[in-house]
Amino acid sequence: MVRLGINIDHVATVRQARLAAEPDPVHAAVMAELGGADQITIHLREDRRHICDRDLAILRQTIKTRLNLEMACTDEMVRIALETKPDMVTLVPEKRQELTTEGGLNVSGNYDFLAENVQKLKDGGIFVSLFVDADSDQMEKCADMGADAVEIHTGHYADAKGAAQREELSRIIFAGEKCRELGLILNSGHGLNYHNVGEIVTIPGMNEVNIGHSIIARAIFVGLERAVREMKETIHRALMDARL
């Protein structure tokens, strides 16, 4: 079974719109776990636009599954990760003006700095994943610096239509093959929803998908526990169909 990580950043976004106490992302994490989430994912941004330090601290103490901390590779964030000890850190690119993460890390162009901090995190006992585009050279650099996993950016696939989407899917499949050759654990995320996740989870070796927006959007109408359960069922059906 491919694991499902639930990104709860959007719950914190609603809270911060009013600078209020609710909705509480910690409560959201509990409901997501009740729905079958295998992991809770949060992105602690440098500008703290949604998830804040208090959320991270409480989530570390309360969730029963796994905590995946997405973060920029900065001295501040590395320090916070080493103090908090999430189960996994996913290093992601970050720009202040972006609405959401727009693409993968430029691992080749920032190799030395990334490699130094990957090693710091691993020395601290933290499993390290890098968020990258579906590119073989990036995969090789991730393996060279000792990363445990990669999370392939699926946003281009999710945004594309028709033949262009098939081409993007082929790129992800090829990158997945390269990932497995290099001994990296294969994860994916960004833009995935109830309609397009099936083709991603059936890629050979896919270990985990991280999904936020589509599940939180569905939860507005049916509740978070049910929305997570429905995504789990969607993934399960896709895997069963692929085995027939």
Side-chain angles (χ1 to χ4, degrees):
M1 187 66 180
V2 176
R3 295 192 314 189
L4 174 60
I6 305 299
N7 187 309
I8 58 173
D9 292 349
H10 290 295
V11 176
T13 297
V14 174
R15 178 191 63 189
Q16 297 306 100
R18 288 292 185 91
L19 298 178
E22 57 184 16
D24 187 351
V26 176
H27 186 195
V30 172
M31 300 309 295
E33 289 184 322
L34 287 173
D38 303 294
Q39 175 172 279
I40 301 300
T41 296
I42 57 172
H43 184 172
L44 183 67
R45 284 181 172 266
E46 292 181 87
D47 61 7
R48 308 304 199 270
R49 68 173 69 168
H50 39 60
I51 294 294
C52 64
D53 298 72
R54 176 182 177 275
D55 299 326
L56 172 60
I58 297 175
L59 285 165
R60 174 66 288 181
Q61 297 172 19
T62 56
I63 67 169
K64 306 300 182 184
T65 54
R66 301 174 72 251
L67 177 62
N68 172 27
L69 174 61
E70 295 181 344
M71 64 183 213
C73 188
T74 65
D75 292 339
E76 179 199 23
M77 290 299 162
V78 170
R79 175 184 58 77
I80 289 171
L82 291 172
E83 291 173 353
T84 309
K85 300 288 187 180
D87 298 287
M88 176 166 74
V89 157
T90 301
L91 296 175
V92 301
E94 187 174 311
K95 293 188 295 186
R96 291 292 176 98
Q97 67 271 28
E98 67 186 357
L99 289 176
T100 185
T101 307
E102 297 172 349
L105 284 164
N106 180 5
V107 181
S108 301
N110 299 281
Y111 183 89
D112 291 340
F113 183 69
L114 283 167
E116 177 185 354
N117 285 292
V118 166
Q119 193 57 54
K120 285 181 182 178
L121 292 165
K122 287 174 65 68
D123 288 345
I126 300 172
F127 186 96
V128 180
S129 176
L130 277 69
F131 185 74
V132 295
D133 290 323
D135 178 85
S136 294
D137 181 62
Q138 301 282 10
M139 302 289 172
E140 291 176 357
K141 293 296 191 296
C142 290
D144 288 345
M145 69 175 59
D148 300 295
V150 296
E151 180 174 339
I152 293 180
H153 174 240
T154 52
H156 302 308
Y157 157 80
D159 292 338
K161 305 294 182 184
Q165 188 173 63
R166 306 311 301 175
E167 183 177 345
E168 290 295 337
L169 180 62
S170 295
R171 292 179 65 235
I172 295 170
I173 292 171
F174 180 78
E177 292 174 356
K178 187 67 175 180
C179 176
R180 298 195 309 278
E181 289 175 8
L182 294 166
L184 293 164
I185 292 175
L186 176 61
N187 301 328
S188 62
H190 204 78
L192 298 178
N193 57 44
Y194 296 88
H195 304 291
N196 64 23
V197 72
E199 292 184 311
I200 297 299
V201 297
T202 53
I203 292 173
M206 186 60 65
N207 171 67
E208 168 188 295
V209 290
N210 285 289
I211 305 177
H213 185 267
S214 67
I215 292 176
I216 301 303
R218 175 69 175 155
I220 292 173
F221 302 103
V222 303
L224 186 53
E225 183 179 350
R226 177 175 164 184
V228 173
R229 187 176 295 113
E230 289 176 351
M231 182 60 78
K232 291 281 285 190
E233 292 169 353
T234 300
I235 292 170
H236 179 73
R237 283 196 303 270
L239 292 171
M240 292 300 101
D241 290 345
R243 291 168 185 167
L244 294 178

